[in-house]
Amino acid sequence: IALGIAISFRSGILNIGAEGHMLVGILASSATAIALPGLPKYILVPLAILAGAAGGAAWGGIAGALKARMGVNEILSTVMLNYIAAQLYTFLLRGPMMDPEELVTGSGTPQSVRIPRAAWLDRLLPGTRLHSGVLVALALAVLVFILLWRTTAGFRMRAAGAEAKAARYAGIRVERCLITAMLLSGAFAGIAGAVEILGVHR
């Protein structure tokens, strides 16, 4: 989540909606893993993580588009989107995605069925919660550094965040940078949600 927030912050947008992005990422990742239990691990794990990224990016993109196209304050929009995501999360886990066994026993615990074992992230140290998601985080940290400090796209995003008027004068499409930053920020939070559900709670 911190990597995504760093991208949006460098691009001049204060994203405080990572919780909502993460929740949508959890839902998308879980739904993908549950819907495709027959796939081998080397396909299902990346697919579930990518689904989480896509869900988070879609949710983050809403706030980015509102900011870029209509000038809606991102602090307000991301906080309000957090509440909508939480309601969506609760609705799905008490309705369409609820574990059928919970309905049979009548406990009503809002949880999905167990994620298929093929989608679990491996534990690095048995008996602990340390799992291979930490390797994903380290790899993404390197990619974010390269993106922001070694690419022209990263330079444009940083320029847009540092001084939007000067960036526009230089020909940088600031609105596009804002939307891209929020898409990436949401995607990273969605990945965090996917890693959390696949590596810890399952």
Side-chain angles (χ1 to χ4, degrees):
I1 288 175
L3 293 170
I5 298 300
I7 292 171
S8 62
F9 180 75
R10 284 286 182 178
S11 303
I13 187 164
L14 297 173
N15 178 14
I16 59 173
E19 180 183 354
H21 311 329
M22 184 177 184
L23 291 177
V24 175
I26 288 171
L27 290 171
S29 179
S30 300
T32 301
I34 292 166
L36 303 167
L39 291 178
K41 187 180 189 81
Y42 65 90
I43 293 176
L44 188 55
V45 168
L47 192 61
I49 292 174
L50 286 174
W59 207 251
I62 296 170
L66 288 172
K67 170 75 173 179
R69 303 293 181 210
M70 291 183 259
V72 176
N73 185 293
E74 69 272 18
I75 295 174
L76 296 176
S77 64
T78 53
V79 167
M80 288 189 283
L81 283 166
N82 278 352
Y83 284 101
I84 296 170
Q87 294 300 317
L88 176 65
Y89 188 83
T90 302
F91 165 72
L92 289 175
L93 290 182
R94 287 194 178 275
M97 288 182 68
M98 188 172 182
D99 183 356
E101 292 299 318
E102 298 297 333
L103 294 173
V104 172
T105 60
S107 69
T109 303
Q111 65 183 28
S112 71
V113 296
R114 192 94 163 140
I115 301 290
R117 187 172 288 273
W120 291 10
L121 292 176
D122 298 322
R123 297 276 163 92
L124 298 179
L125 294 174
T128 70
R129 289 180 146 193
L130 184 65
H131 56 78
S132 54
V134 72
L135 304 177
V136 173
L138 292 172
L140 290 177
V142 173
L143 289 176
V144 168
F145 172 78
I146 292 169
L147 168 69
L148 287 177
W149 300 100
R150 296 289 184 267
T151 67
T152 54
F155 174 78
R156 288 189 189 104
M157 292 168 74
R158 288 186 293 115
E163 182 48 63
K165 288 182 181 178
R168 281 192 187 92
Y169 185 75
I172 294 172
R173 299 177 68 176
V174 173
E175 289 73 19
R176 179 182 284 183
C177 291
L178 290 174
I179 293 172
T180 302
M182 283 303 292
L183 287 170
L184 289 172
S185 188
F188 276 75
I191 290 170
V195 165
E196 178 78 4
I197 198 70
L198 301 178
V200 179
H201 303 291
R202 300 169 174 172

